[in-house]
Amino acid sequence: MSRWEFVGRTDELNRLLEAVTGEAGRGLFFSGSAGIGKSRLLREGVGALPTDRFAIWSIAASATTAALPFGGLVQVLPAEQPQGLSPAGVLRWALNVLQQQAAGRRIVLAIDDAHLLDPPSAALVHLVARAENATVVGTLRDGEQIPLPIRALWTDDLVEHVELTPMPQAETTDLLAAILGGPVDAGSADRLGRLSAGNPLLLRELVHAANGSAELKRTYGIWKWTGRLELAPSLTDLIDTRVGKLTDGVRAVVELVAFGEPLGLHLLKQAADQSDVETAEERGLITVVQHDRRTNVRLAHPLYGEVMRRRCPVSRTRRLQAHLAELLEQVGKRRRDDLLRVAVWRLDSGTAQDPALLLDAAVQAFTRYDVPLATRLARAALNADGGYDAAELLATILMFADRPDEAIDVLDAVTPEPGDERRLCRWLTVRGMVSYWGLSRQSTVEEIASRVEQLSDSADRSRVHAFEAIMRLHRLDTATAVKLSRQVLDRPAAGVAARELARSTIAYVQAAQGELTRSGTAIAQVHSAAASWRTDMPYLQLALELARGTRLMLTGDLVGIDAIVADEFADLAGAGDFRLGTGYLAILQAYAARLRGQSDAAMRTSLGACAVLATSRVYAGLAQAERAQSAALRGDAAQAVAAMAEADRTHAPGMAVLYPWLEQARGASLAASGDLPGAIKHLGDLVDRLRSDGFAGHEVHVLHDLVRLDQAGMAVGPTCSDGGRRTVAQRLAELSERVDGVLPPLLARHARAAVTDSPTDLLAVADDYATLELTVYAAEATSQAVQRLRRQHSAGANDARERLAGLLGRCDLIRTPALQAGAPVLTEREWQVARLAAHGAPSRAIAERLYLSARTVENHLQRIYAKLGVTGRAELWAALRSIPGHDGGDAS
């Protein structure tokens, strides 16, 4: 990690190269803060220039040479200068020296930290920039005094001047992966990116410190940061240099903002002297931002706060936090967040005495899915005699923090007294949730069902029945789950949260059964009522997302998946370490990437889901199944098999309702391993099981997997009244009239086209798949068309190959059985000859390059043409690109 790979800054690098090599030939200066990446960008740009065309001098100005005449260019100019020359003469002499050494090439003068140049050097740089055959590029640090000759470069329009902004989050993520040598969990990358504020140097120091203290851990190949920040001495020194020495008043301002940001400007003015606030802003320590109708103050850099908070004595820290709480209480908690802020300040300052305040704040933190903060506040509320309500909330949060044993202990310590039905209702549901999902005790369902009779209130019974219903759904007792859910919805006394939990259960079953329109309507109802149930039951969001995600996957609505992955819940869950939420959404994201043929993203995201869910068995098996699918898409049989083994190991029995996804992945894993008969039998058995369970929504997808394995004519299902069995194509045709959406009819058309051997219909199906962004399916249908056209010796084969090549060009590496089935096998020598011929090399040139005779090359080409089904060189390029795993390659 001593030197990291150059990542990102593509636009800036291209702009720098254009400034040197373009027709205008104007130079370019980048300015920015320390560590923003100016120097590295300059080195990369200069290093990419061809030395046969450019005479390049790279100069690193420094404070040590700033007082010496021409000290900044000591690396360039001769040690001895001619005597008796005027200052202007010295400059002309120096320019002549550079031109002589350039020997006709264009001069490129690259100056890092040009603000440190001594006056003569700065004047020479300006003179070089005015020369006909010279270009000047360089970097400047923000906030430094710039020599007038350098400033005049852009004021005289000799060079461009560009402010180098912080790296965007996507590039920060790529840089993290380069530093660590592997992909980084999305949440960790986001938090480290925000802390470094897009500054590569600060990011590197943060990673060094975290890695050295074991706060960065690798699971399933994905790096994850624990969130505990370590500040290395070098990083602290760097922040100290930026902050500089502070007066007591300015320090107080910075400390108040560090503990209170975002802090209302009106509060800060009450707590500190106005002149000190202005000084802090002028020095770039704080920034004033407008948010809605409130003017807030933040620190200019997140790491300033880390340093200030750590160095502030405990007694002063507590005093400042208590003071902030008092100020906000005095002006009134006008906004919803104000309650949470006061509670946290009171808790941290040791002045929290009101359990109601702590409990309300804990609820608010949990509704924002901030699990660590909600846990702290709920525990504090319980310790402050918050009673049963605090215990119930704490146990619920501990469940979602993957600490079910602690949650059970908390609940068992507050077992309701006989006759207290309200508490018994909530105790039963929370304890049942922890026991069933947290501890994987399936007997919980019967325990809840037997005790619900103790409740006389209809609303209480509805709440318990709603929980029992969703537990029965997850263990695959769908009929009872739907019956109980409908009972809840039919009771006018049922609470909003109970009703919407029941509706989510029904919505999931409807999606699995293929009633996708009705499922969508139910999901929309649950979502529209969120404001009414979120405070009471924040975790209902998981039931909603499971139903919604399942429906979107079964409809093939990849754009819809994109939308919920980018929704507010995704941001809140990621920021608040709500792992079940982030893990499940990552599974959806991997699914969408996989069907688009983005196998790199699918694999990376599915591995991330496995890492996030490693300590929770609720969706762990599902994440591993998606990882197996991603590996199978790439033809990585070993990883697909390993992932399925992990899926079997981690899949909780209480999540039996997810079996269609796991077993579908098992079929893909078998196929990727080369066991096509095993995969076909497994998928056929799965079709029978899904049919028995009434999961038509899933069944159409498994039937389509058989079509992809060229089994559209295979018999499936029970014997019919006519004594025969339906084929895959016939069954899909039946289901296309029962299962909602545009996808089932399209899958049925695919099967029918495969059975009738119609290349025209297969290509039409491929076009429709592509419209839905189902690029893998489109490529496979096109590949099947190519195979049939080749068998028919049709002239349309080459056009179909072009279309297949275009589809594969939109994908990463994909190697599915459907694509491999018709792919010709070339020897390594044939590949070499084919690539060279496809790039236009004549046979004699190929022969000389490969040390063959021209006759041998021609013989190779004839065998290649026969294998590929082409008539000559003109068709080679498309034919090679239509082979999965190859893009035609380059001529080398």
Side-chain angles (χ1 to χ4, degrees):
M1 292 195 339
S2 59
R3 180 179 174 84
W4 67 88
E5 178 185 350
F6 183 75
V7 173
R9 301 291 194 197
T10 303
D11 292 341
E12 293 88 343
L13 182 60
N14 289 338
R15 189 167 181 176
L16 176 62
L17 292 173
E18 178 64 22
V20 177
T21 63
E23 291 184 10
R26 295 178 64 207
L28 176 67
F29 269 72
F30 286 114
S31 62
S33 59
I36 203 69
K38 308 180 299 297
S39 300
R40 182 66 184 275
L41 177 60
L42 183 65
R43 287 199 302 273
E44 292 293 328
V46 171
L49 296 173
T51 55
D52 59 334
R53 290 178 51 201
F54 298 97
I56 304 164
W57 284 276
S58 294
I59 299 154
S62 67
T64 57
T65 59
L68 303 174
F70 291 109
L73 299 181
V74 69
Q75 306 153 59
V76 173
L77 298 176
E80 297 292 332
Q81 297 181 12
Q83 299 297 316
L85 293 179
S86 66
V90 172
L91 292 177
R92 284 194 295 272
W93 163 80
L95 180 58
N96 288 334
V97 168
L98 295 178
Q99 290 174 334
Q100 290 170 11
Q101 293 177 352
R105 295 171 295 170
R106 186 171 184 81
I107 294 172
V108 177
L109 198 57
I111 311 104
D112 192 22
D113 288 337
H115 54 278
L116 294 176
L117 286 175
D118 58 279
S121 295
L124 178 57
V125 169
H126 189 94
L127 187 62
V128 170
R130 287 188 173 278
E132 288 291 332
N133 66 332
T135 303
V136 175
V137 292
T139 69
L140 300 160
R141 184 181 298 177
D142 285 347
E144 299 290 344
Q145 186 70 33
I146 300 173
L148 289 178
I150 300 299
R151 184 180 297 277
L153 289 174
W154 56 89
T155 59
D156 291 349
D157 203 30
L158 297 174
V159 302
E160 293 182 75
H161 182 212
V162 176
E163 179 71 23
L164 195 61
T165 58
M167 292 183 75
Q169 183 58 45
E171 292 186 1
T172 300
T173 301
D174 292 341
L175 180 57
L176 275 169
I179 295 172
L180 290 167
V184 182
D185 162 67
S188 301
D190 182 62
R191 289 192 294 272
L192 284 166
R194 279 188 277 114
L195 269 175
S196 66
N199 185 297
L201 177 61
L202 294 180
L203 181 68
R204 182 174 182 272
E205 293 295 334
L206 284 169
V207 171
H208 266 305
N211 207 35
S213 61
E215 299 302 339
L216 270 170
K217 299 178 181 178
R218 200 171 194 175
T219 308
Y220 294 111
I222 303 295
W223 287 97
K224 184 175 177 61
W225 179 44
T226 64
R228 289 187 291 271
L229 184 64
E230 294 293 331
L231 294 179
S234 58
L235 189 57
T236 305
D237 292 343
L238 185 60
I239 299 301
D240 285 343
T241 301
R242 289 192 179 192
V243 172
K245 292 186 178 181
L246 304 177
T247 64
D248 291 343
V250 174
R251 178 175 293 279
V253 169
V254 177
E255 287 176 343
L256 281 165
V257 178
F259 288 109
E261 67 176 335
L263 188 60
L265 182 59
H266 65 294
L267 289 181
L268 184 57
K269 287 180 177 179
Q270 292 183 46
D273 187 273
Q274 173 73 23
S275 62
D276 291 326
V277 174
E278 293 173 356
T279 301
E281 185 180 4
E282 287 172 359
R283 290 188 52 182
L285 301 174
I286 62 173
T287 58
V288 179
V289 294
Q290 194 71 30
H291 181 70
D292 293 334
R293 290 177 295 175
R294 181 175 287 188
T295 303
N296 289 329
V297 181
R298 289 185 175 275
L299 292 176
H301 196 287
L303 287 177
Y304 292 176
E306 292 293 335
V307 172
M308 299 302 292
R309 286 189 291 270
R310 293 186 186 208
R311 291 186 170 176
C312 189
V314 174
S315 57
R316 187 159 77 235
T317 295
R318 293 193 164 199
R319 175 174 59 78
L320 290 170
Q321 290 167 331
H323 188 36
L324 287 167
E326 290 166 3
L327 286 171
L328 193 49
E329 287 171 334
Q330 288 170 9
V331 300
K333 298 185 285 291
R334 302 171 187 172
R335 299 196 178 189
R336 193 165 180 267
D337 286 355
D338 290 346
L339 169 71
L340 186 58
R341 289 158 64 78
V342 168
V344 172
W345 286 331
R346 287 294 183 196
L347 181 60
D348 290 344
S349 65
T351 59
Q353 298 175 344
D354 183 359
L357 171 68
L358 294 168
L359 185 59
D360 288 346
V363 169
Q364 190 176 117
F366 195 30
T367 60
R368 293 167 54 170
Y369 305 105
D370 190 338
V371 173
L373 179 57
T375 304
R376 282 185 62 214
L377 290 164
R379 192 178 296 281
L382 182 62
N383 293 339
D385 297 326
Y388 174 81
D389 290 341
E392 177 202 329
L393 180 61
L394 176 59
T396 303
I397 298 167
L398 287 171
M399 155 70 190
F400 291 98
D402 294 332
R403 295 152 68 180
D405 293 306
E406 290 181 56
I408 288 290
D409 290 342
V410 170
L411 286 169
D412 288 349
V414 291
T415 304
E417 296 292 332
D420 191 343
E421 290 193 12
R422 176 191 169 276
R423 287 189 177 177
L424 177 61
C425 162
R426 300 186 72 90
W427 187 85
L428 279 175
T429 53
V430 175
R431 197 179 192 286
M433 178 173 60
V434 175
S435 175
Y436 184 81
W437 282 290
L439 300 176
S440 297
R441 295 174 183 168
Q442 293 192 67
S443 60
T444 303
V445 181
E446 283 71 31
E447 293 169 9
I448 284 182
S450 66
R451 298 194 66 176
V452 72
E453 300 304 323
Q454 300 175 28
L455 303 173
S456 59
D457 183 79
S458 180
D460 291 341
R461 292 169 67 91
S462 295
R463 188 179 182 92
V464 177
H465 277 146
F467 273 85
E468 181 189 347
I470 198 165
M471 289 179 195
R472 288 190 181 276
L473 167 65
H474 280 82
R475 76 174 197 179
L476 212 54
D477 185 359
T478 53
T480 306
V482 172
K483 179 182 176 182
L484 286 168
S485 297
R486 295 204 183 282
Q487 288 178 5
V488 172
L489 292 174
D490 290 341
R491 288 177 185 159
V496 174
R499 294 174 66 83
E500 301 313 321
L501 180 59
R503 205 184 311 276
S504 296
T505 299
I506 292 173
Y508 183 93
V509 175
Q510 289 170 333
Q513 292 177 344
E515 299 178 17
L516 298 165
T517 301
R518 294 178 65 192
S519 175
T521 301
I523 289 166
Q525 285 182 267
V526 179
H527 189 265
S528 65
S532 300
W533 54 254
R534 183 159 286 131
T535 299
D536 180 19
M537 201 182 287
Y539 46 87
L540 197 159
Q541 187 80 36
L542 285 176
L544 171 62
E545 297 302 338
L546 180 61
R548 183 160 56 171
T550 300
R551 177 183 174 276
L552 290 170
M553 288 193 286
L554 293 179
T555 57
D557 186 356
L558 306 190
V559 174
I561 290 176
D562 293 343
I564 66 170
V565 166
D567 204 358
E568 181 188 25
F569 172 64
D571 293 336
L572 292 173
D577 201 27
F578 191 57
R579 296 176 195 170
L580 286 181
T582 54
Y584 181 69
L585 292 176
I587 294 169
L588 294 182
Q589 193 173 9
Y591 178 91
R594 173 164 59 87
L595 294 193
R596 285 179 168 124
Q598 299 167 355
S599 64
D600 292 346
M603 178 56 67
R604 183 174 62 252
T605 310
S606 62
L607 283 169
C610 292
V612 168
L613 297 166
T615 58
S616 174
R617 298 187 65 188
V618 175
Y619 293 133
L622 185 62
Q624 293 291 349
E626 186 53 46
R627 173 190 166 204
Q629 286 274 26
S630 299
L633 178 65
R634 299 172 65 85
D636 187 347
Q639 182 163 190
V641 170
M644 282 312 304
E646 279 292 280
D648 291 335
R649 183 184 70 81
T650 59
H651 183 56
M655 298 298 293
V657 74
L658 300 178
Y659 83 84
W661 303 113
L662 273 75
E663 297 310 320
Q664 200 175 354
R666 196 182 312 280
S669 178
L670 287 167
S673 301
D675 185 5
L676 291 181
I680 292 165
K681 181 181 185 307
H682 175 79
L683 293 172
D685 293 342
L686 181 55
V687 165
D688 291 340
R689 183 179 177 186
L690 291 167
R691 183 172 188 161
S692 175
D693 288 336
F695 285 176
H698 284 285
E699 187 184 349
V700 294
H701 287 268
V702 179
L703 288 165
H704 182 241
D705 281 351
L706 287 167
V707 175
R708 297 168 64 200
L709 295 177
D710 208 17
Q711 299 297 311
M714 170 182 163
V716 292
T719 302
C720 302
S721 57
D722 59 6
R725 298 170 68 199
R726 296 287 182 264
T727 64
V728 168
Q730 290 170 332
R731 178 60 175 164
L732 269 173
E734 290 176 2
L735 290 177
S736 69
E737 298 179 359
R738 288 172 40 196
V739 179
D740 300 335
V742 298
L743 188 57
L746 182 54
L747 302 180
R749 283 173 49 208
H750 187 177
R752 184 169 60 251
V755 167
T756 59
D757 279 338
S758 172
T760 302
D761 290 346
L762 284 168
L763 291 173
V765 165
D767 288 341
D768 290 342
Y769 281 143
T771 300
L772 297 174
E773 300 186 36
L774 301 172
T775 313
V776 171
Y777 295 168
E780 289 178 335
T782 305
S783 178
Q784 291 174 335
V786 169
Q787 294 170 43
R788 286 157 174 78
L789 289 167
R790 286 183 58 196
R791 287 201 299 265
Q792 297 168 11
H793 303 289
S794 170
N798 194 51
D799 177 63
R801 274 193 294 264
E802 287 278 7
R803 293 168 68 170
L804 177 57
L807 288 166
L808 291 176
R810 290 156 54 183
C811 302
D812 300 324
L813 173 66
I814 58 172
R815 287 177 174 164
T816 68
L819 293 171
Q820 298 284 99
V825 179
L826 302 182
T827 66
E828 183 59 36
R829 178 62 80 189
E830 287 170 344
W831 269 110
Q832 291 174 331
V833 172
R835 286 194 187 100
L836 290 166
H839 282 81
S843 296
R844 185 172 298 280
I846 297 173
E848 292 176 357
R849 183 160 183 176
L850 299 181
Y851 304 103
L852 302 172
S853 69
R855 180 183 293 276
T856 300
V857 170
E858 287 297 328
N859 289 337
H860 276 307
L861 284 172
Q862 293 307 312
R863 285 193 295 271
I864 291 166
Y865 298 157
K867 287 183 178 182
L868 298 181
V870 300
T871 58
R873 292 170 180 259
E875 300 173 13
L876 262 182
W877 176 242
L880 294 180
R881 289 170 54 237
S882 68
I883 299 176
H886 299 278
D887 60 1
D890 57 32
S892 60

